[in-house]
C-alpha cells in the first residue's frame, strides 16, 4: 500500500502510521500539527518508507501535490472537538466538511481512488434504536461536529457513485489508548491532578457511552479494507457494551487511589448536543471476523497509564 | 411575517413571494439572478411591502446586512442541477452547503431564528422502502447534489439544537408549474420544438418519478409552518403516486399533437446517480390536513402550457 494519512501526527493517525510501516507499507503523513504531536512520529521517522508532509488540508495545492503516487488515503484529520462546536461554528465546516472535499478533489486530480474515513457515532444524533445499526432510521443532527462528519460521509459516498471511488466509512465510538490527547479520561485526570478532593462531572454522570481501544480500532479498519470490497463500505466500530460516566470515573479514581467528592453540573446531557446514550451495533464488522481485545475498563486504564507517563501532554492543550 | 426568501427570483421562490405578499406579509427577496428571472418579480414589485436585494449568498457581509429585521427565512436558493454535479463538483459544495452555512450565520448574527429549507427526495439516494418515509433507513448519497443538501439539513438541525433555531426541512420531489425553468418537461418540450419526429430519452424511460405542483407545494410549506411547532420539523412533500418518464412524455406529446420516435440512451438510470424510483411517503404532511389539488398529469400539462406561453425561457438557459 502507498498510504497517505491525513492527521497522521494525531492520536489514531500516528498509531496507524506505525502499524502500516510495520506491515511494510509506505506511509506519507500529512498534518498541520494543530493538534498532532511531533513526538508521536519518532518511531515512524526511523523507517525509510515514511515521509512527512507538513501542510494544511485547506491548502489545496500543497495537498494535491502531496497526494501524487499514493493508492489509499486514510482521512483522519478533523476537528474532533464535539463539545465546543457552538463556540466557533465555522471550524467544523472548514476542518471537517471542506477539508474532506479537498481530500477528495486532490485524490481525483491525482487518480487516487481508495479512501478510509473516520466518521463518528455522533452522526446518529440521539438515536431511538440501541444498539444502533448502520441502517438506523434517518438521524437528526444534534451537533455541528456530527453535521460536518455527515457532510463528509455524503461527499465520499457521492464520489464513490460519481467517480468510481472505493470508500470505507468507519463510525467510531470514542477511541482510547496510547497517544490519546483529549476526551473524558484526559479531562478527569487533569482535574484530579489539580484537585484530588473534588471533581466536577458534566451532566448527571448517568450518560451511557461506549469506547474502543485504538489498536482494536486499527485491527477493524485494516480487516474491513481487506475483506469488504463494495464500492462503499460503512461500519460501526465499538465494543459490545457501554459504561456510565460515573463508572469510568470510579475506575480512574481507583487506579489513582483518590476519592474525590463528585459535583454534578446536572441534566441528562454533559453539554448542548451531548448524546446521553451511545451504543453502536457492531454486528457488521464482527461478521468479518473482528473482535476487540480490550474491554472498556481496560481501555480506560491503558489510557490513564499512558497519560501518567506523558504528563507533558496535559500541559500542551 | 417579515420574510426573507433566498433564491426569491427563482421558480418556487417567486411564487412564494407572490403568495406571502398576497397574505400581507413583508417580503425581501435575496437573489443573485444566476438562474432567477427579473420577470418573475414583476407582480411582487407592485407591492410596497416587497424589497429586492441583489446579492450572492457567498457574499456574507451583504447577506448579513440584508438579514436584519426579518423573523423568518425561506432558504430556497440552490444549485438545483442534480444531473451535472460531477461536471463541477465544487458547485454543490459552494452554492448549497457553504451558502446554507452563510444563511445560518447571518441569521444568528441578526437574531433571526426561524428557517424553512428546500431539501430534496434525492437525499434518500436509492431507497429500499417505498413510499419512502422521513424516517427511512440511513441513506447513502448517490449524487453531489443530494450530499450537499444533506449537509444543509445537518447544519440546520445542529443550529436548532445548538442555537435554539426553529427549522422546517421540506424534502421535495420534482416541482412543476408556472415559472418552471428546468427539468424533464423543459427538456422534452425544447427537444420536440427542435425535432418533433424523434426524441432522445435518457435511460430506458421506465424510471419512476414523483412530481408536485408548485402551488400545492406552497400550501404544504405554509400549513406546516402554522401547525408544526417542534424545534425541528421535517416533511416529505410529494403526491401520492408516481409516473414513468415514458408516461409523462406521452402526455406531453398528446398535448402538443406530436408522435416522435423514441430513442433510449438505455440503462435503468438517466445518468450516473439518477435514482430509478422516487416515491415519498407523505403521511406526515397529510396528517396536518394538507392534500395536493393537482395530479401529476395536471402538473405536467400546466407546466407545458406555461412554457408554451413563455418560450423565451427556453432560450435563456
Amino acid at each position: 500500500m502507498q498510504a497517505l494519512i491525513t492527521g497522521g501526527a494525531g492520536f489514531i493517525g500516528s498509531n496507524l502510521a506505525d502499524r502500516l510501516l510495520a506491515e511494510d507499507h509506505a506511509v506519507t503523513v500529512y498534518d498541520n500539527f494543530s493538534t498532532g504531536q511531533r513526538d508521536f512520529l519518532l518511531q515512524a521517522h526511523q523507517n525509510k518508507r515514511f515521509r512527512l508532509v507538513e501542510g494544511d488540508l485547506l491548502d489545496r495545492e500543497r495537498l494535491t501535490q502531496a497526494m501524487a503516487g499514493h493508492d489509499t488515503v486514510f482521512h483522519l484529520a478533523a476537528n474532533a472537538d464535539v463539545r465546543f462546536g457552538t463556540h466557533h461554528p465555522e471550524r467544523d465546516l472548514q476542518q471537517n466538511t471542506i477539508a474532506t472535499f479537498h481530500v477528495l478533489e486532490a485524490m481525483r486530480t491525482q487518480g487516487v481512488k481508495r479512501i478510509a474515513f473516520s466518521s463518528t457515532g455522533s452522526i446518529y444524533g440521539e438515536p431511538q434504536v440501541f444498539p444502533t445499526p448502520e441502517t438506523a432510521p434517518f438521524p437528526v443532527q444534534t451537533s455541528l461536529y456530527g453535521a460536518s462528519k455527515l457532510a463528509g460521509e455524503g461527499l465520499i459516498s457521492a464520489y464513490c457513485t460519481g467517480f468510481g471511488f472505493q470508500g470505507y466509512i468507519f463510525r467510531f465510538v470514542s477511541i482510547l489508548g496510547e497517544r490519546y490527547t483529549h476526551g473524558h479520561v484526559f479531562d478527569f485526570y487533569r482535574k484530579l491532578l489539580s484537585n484530588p478532593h473534588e471533581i466536577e462531572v458534566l451532566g448527571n454522570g448517568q450518560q451511557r457511552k461506549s469506547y474502543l481501544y485504538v489498536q482494536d480500532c486499527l485491527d477493524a479498519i485494516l480487516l474491513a479494507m481487506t475483506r469488504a470490497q463494495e464500492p462503499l463500505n460503512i461500519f460501526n466500530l465499538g465494543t459490545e457494551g457501554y459504561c456510565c460516566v460515573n463508572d469510568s470515573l470510579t475506575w480512574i479514581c481507583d487506579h489513582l487511589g483518590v476519592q474525590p467528592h463528585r459535583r454534578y453540573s446536572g441534566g441528562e446531557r454533559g453539554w448542548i448536543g451531548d448524546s446521553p446514550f451511545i451504543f453502536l451495533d457492531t454486528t457488521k464488522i464482527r461478521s468479518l471476523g473482528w473482535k476487540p481485545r480490550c474491554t472498556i475498563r481496560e481501555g480506560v486504564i491503558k489510557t490513564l497509564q499512558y497519560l501518567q507517563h506523558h504528563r507533558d501532554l496535559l500541559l500542551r492543550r
Side-chain angles (χ1 to χ4, degrees), chain A residues 20-65:
Chain A
L20 291 176
L21 289 165
E23 292 180 8
D24 272 342
H25 299 292
V27 172
T28 301
V29 159
Y30 189 94
D31 205 296
N32 67 358
F33 291 97
S34 65
T35 59
Q37 301 290 327
R38 290 179 198 280
D39 301 354
F40 293 174
L41 296 175
L42 288 177
Q43 189 181 323
H45 273 295
Q46 310 292 315
N47 192 307
K48 64 176 195 287
R49 306 199 73 190
F50 174 72
R51 194 163 70 98
L52 169 66
V53 179
E54 195 162 340
D56 198 293
L57 292 179
L58 299 179
D59 181 349
R60 211 157 146 181
E61 200 177 316
R62 190 166 179 76
L63 176 63
T64 305
Q65 279 169 5

Side-chain angles (χ1 to χ4, degrees), chain A residues 7 9-11 31-38 40 76-81 91 95 179 181-182 313 316-317:
Chain A
F11 166 34
D31 205 296
N32 67 358
F33 291 97
S34 65
T35 59
Q37 301 290 327
R38 290 179 198 280
F40 293 174
L76 306 182
N79 173 43
D81 172 20
R91 195 176 292 176
Q95 295 184 14
R179 300 182 187 156
T181 55
H182 81 280
L313 282 173
R316 289 196 198 168
R317 303 228 24 197

Side-chain angles (χ1 to χ4, degrees), chain A residues 65-315:
Chain A
Q65 279 169 5
M67 190 61 72
H70 296 90
D71 53 47
T72 302
V73 173
F74 294 86
H75 175 37
L76 306 182
N79 173 43
D81 172 20
V82 195
R83 187 171 148 203
F84 293 106
T86 52
H87 292 211
H88 32 62
E90 192 147 9
R91 195 176 292 176
D92 285 310
L93 179 78
Q94 291 282 351
Q95 295 184 14
N96 298 349
T97 306
I98 296 173
T100 299
F101 176 75
H102 287 179
V103 169
L104 291 165
E105 279 295 283
M107 290 174 68
R108 190 166 74 90
T109 304
Q110 299 289 7
V112 184
K113 295 203 159 185
R114 192 160 172 254
I115 182 170
F117 178 58
S118 54
S119 187
T120 166
S122 296
I123 61 164
Y124 295 116
E126 295 198 4
Q128 305 299 307
V129 184
F130 298 97
T132 311
E134 291 87 350
T135 53
F138 205 142
V140 166
Q141 298 311 306
T142 53
S143 68
L144 286 156
Y145 173 71
S148 69
K149 283 287 187 178
L150 178 68
E153 284 200 10
L155 282 165
I156 290 167
S157 309
Y159 272 67
C160 288
T161 306
F163 298 115
F165 278 39
Q166 187 174 35
Y168 293 87
I169 289 172
F170 298 102
R171 295 178 184 151
F172 294 172
V173 297
S174 295
I175 307 298
L176 296 170
E178 296 75 18
R179 300 182 187 156
Y180 173 96
T181 55
H182 81 280
H184 86 291
V185 181
F186 191 98
D187 294 341
F188 280 152
Y189 181 47
R190 187 154 60 175
K191 285 178 182 177
L192 289 169
L193 279 179
S194 139
N195 181 0
H197 306 295
E198 187 180 81
I199 188 161
E200 189 198 30
V201 178
L202 298 177
N204 59 12
Q206 306 295 317
Q207 303 102 297
R208 290 166 291 175
K209 305 279 186 178
S210 194
Y211 302 91
L212 182 66
Y213 177 56
V214 63
Q215 297 298 339
D216 285 328
C217 173
L218 296 180
D219 286 348
I221 290 173
L222 296 173
L223 184 76
M225 293 176 76
T226 309
R227 302 230 173 128
Q229 294 299 339
E230 295 296 314
L232 182 67
N233 309 276
I234 302 177
F235 292 96
N236 286 338
L237 298 190
T239 40
E240 230 168 344
Y242 53 86
C243 70
C244 284
V245 171
N246 270 332
D247 298 333
S248 179
L249 180 54
T250 299
W251 303 332
I252 293 169
C253 291
D254 288 352
H255 181 83
L256 297 175
V258 296
Q259 289 188 300
H261 170 71
R262 300 178 186 197
R263 197 161 36 77
Y264 295 97
S265 69
E268 266 187 282
R269 294 170 189 78
W271 56 87
I272 293 174
D274 181 31
S275 181
F277 188 17
I278 294 178
F279 178 30
L280 304 186
D281 186 333
T282 52
T283 306
K284 191 174 169 193
I285 185 71
R286 282 166 190 276
S287 76
L288 299 184
W290 173 83
K291 217 179 115 163
R293 292 170 290 184
C294 265
T295 64
I296 294 179
R297 189 178 195 284
E298 287 163 348
V300 168
I301 299 305
K302 275 175 190 278
T303 306
L304 193 54
Q305 287 172 330
Y306 175 78
L307 291 175
Q308 287 181 296
H309 287 94
H310 297 83
R311 282 170 64 167
D312 56 309
L313 282 173
L314 300 172
L315 305 170

